[in-house]
Amino acid sequence: MIITIKKIAQLAAVSQGTVDRIIHNRGQVSQENIDKVNAIIKEYGYKKNIFASNLAFNKKFKFAIFLPKNEGLEYWKIPVNGIERAEEEFEKFGVTLDYYFYKYDSISFKKIASKIVDKKYDGLLFAPIFHDESILFLNQCKKINLPVVMIDSNIKEVDSFAYIGQDAFQSGYLAGRLVCYNSTMENNVLIIKITREIESTSVYLQRIKGFYSFFKDHEGEGSANFKFSEITLKDSGQKQLNLKMFEGINTIFIPNSRSYIVAEFLKKNNLNHIVLVGYDLLQENVKYLKDGVIDFLINQKPEQQGYLGVEYLYKKIILKENVENTYYMPLEIIIKENC
């Protein structure tokens, strides 16, 4: 049964105006009438027509989108696809979005962050890359009561904000398990960190921590022996790779989306025996997955993160629903056969 304000008024023997005041929590109403109306609403599950209400009052809601600039990185284009899809869907409910993209330097981040704080937004979707700067920014958002949902990376030091994305530690743990599936008696595992200027703030540190934790938790199980080494590449090209790096290596773990850089080198040099585990369904990654150079990709669905981030703000701010503050995306294991 679809219950209306008129029907609630009839059942509670009060005026429609009284019901409206109780639903919208405005005006003086006796406790007796509040109890009667709320009991009927609970029984019949009344939901106010947000669409009609917003149209009637011509109400608009403006959300800010604050993400890293893609700067040639395909990954950061993908969540924007989901955000734009959500923008089109929720536009009819009075939702508009302002986009802000920061470069991979803290100066750019701080400059744009201050602009967002100075403007009066109803909500914010935010992908934090700079850890310390993000904490300061989130604390400012907290002071001005700006609701925030984070995607891709979670800043746990500032409470009361929402997060939609991977559990980075668990995704690294999963990568460790995948490495074990291809283990031999002697396993030399190389972790390649491909970064820009940012290292200590990246989500991949949690992935690496989870990766090592898997082997620590399963130490002594089976007969396989694992040895680990790490290298850091400070740019996104192949220039720093050389054959010496891969001598004796059985497995490579790349804890971010740029596996294709190493995969291209492996293919050119016929290093077909090396198992490669990486992240994300970028076009170049998928190409080398299908070629059999990349063995496993862990997919964290960045497009869906973008869509769900806007949807969260819509439900929290416009529908005023109680929404879970943490939603971990399922971690998909993608191989050549199911790509």
Side-chain angles (χ1 to χ4, degrees), residues 27-45:
Q28 295 295 319
V29 183
S30 70
Q31 190 60 47
E32 181 185 358
N33 285 338
I34 291 172
D35 293 341
K36 284 195 296 182
V37 168
N38 283 336
I40 293 165
I41 288 172
K42 184 177 180 180
E43 181 179 352
Y44 291 97

Side-chain angles (χ1 to χ4, degrees), residues 198-212:
I198 313 160
E199 180 174 350
S200 62
T201 57
S202 179
V203 69
Y204 68 58
L205 291 181
Q206 278 298 308
R207 290 174 176 168
I208 293 170
K209 186 177 180 181
F211 184 77
Y212 281 130

